[in-house]
Amino acid sequence: MKILDIPTTLTDFPPEQAWVLEMINVILIEVLGAIAENERNKIRARQREGIVAAKKKNVRFGRPPKSLPQNWQKILEEVRCGNKKPVEAVRKLGISRSYFYKLYSDN
């Protein structure tokens, strides 16, 4: 196995000393893996700290909420009374079916 970032893997050893090369490579890979894992944990901790600080400042995360369609209340009442089917309401409002049902369940 040859890894370009690990120079010892590119070195040629005599066949009787191949076990030495393999042992060195295994140790190097373990050390580099531990360093990478440690760095990733530091990144996650910093990210958590940043999120907590932002929430203390009332920073909003995620997509901004959409506003309700203009005639939403009127059409919602018609759907609830049974005068209009949800498919008709979706067409009339000009919104997607999934957004309609999200609004419907929220109200």
Side-chain angles (χ1 to χ4, degrees):
M1 170 172 60
K2 295 194 184 253
I3 301 172
L4 296 176
D5 289 345
I6 302 176
T8 58
T9 61
L10 303 175
T11 308
D12 289 328
F13 277 84
E16 62 272 0
Q17 292 182 349
W19 65 273
V20 174
L21 177 66
E22 186 175 335
M23 181 181 67
I24 291 171
N25 289 336
V26 167
I27 291 170
L28 279 173
I29 289 171
E30 287 293 324
V31 169
L32 291 173
I35 291 170
E37 184 178 356
N38 187 27
E39 186 62 30
R40 187 67 189 131
N41 289 337
K42 283 182 190 177
I43 290 169
R44 284 191 182 129
R46 282 188 233 122
Q47 182 181 22
R48 259 185 267 115
E49 290 168 6
I51 290 171
V52 168
K55 284 187 177 181
K56 284 181 183 175
K57 293 178 183 177
N58 293 324
V59 172
R60 292 191 52 140
F61 290 91
R63 212 173 160 169
K66 282 185 174 180
S67 59
L68 289 175
Q70 275 184 320
N71 49 355
W72 168 251
Q73 291 299 329
K74 179 183 170 208
I75 292 179
L76 177 65
E77 291 302 320
E78 290 178 4
V79 170
R80 285 195 173 147
C81 293
N83 296 339
K84 194 174 280 239
K85 293 183 179 183
V87 175
E88 296 167 346
V90 165
R91 274 193 223 118
K92 181 93 172 166
L93 293 168
I95 60 175
S96 69
R97 191 174 57 183
S98 60
Y99 186 51
F100 172 81
Y101 283 112
K102 180 190 178 311
L103 291 175
Y104 187 81
S105 66
D106 289 349
N107 289 315

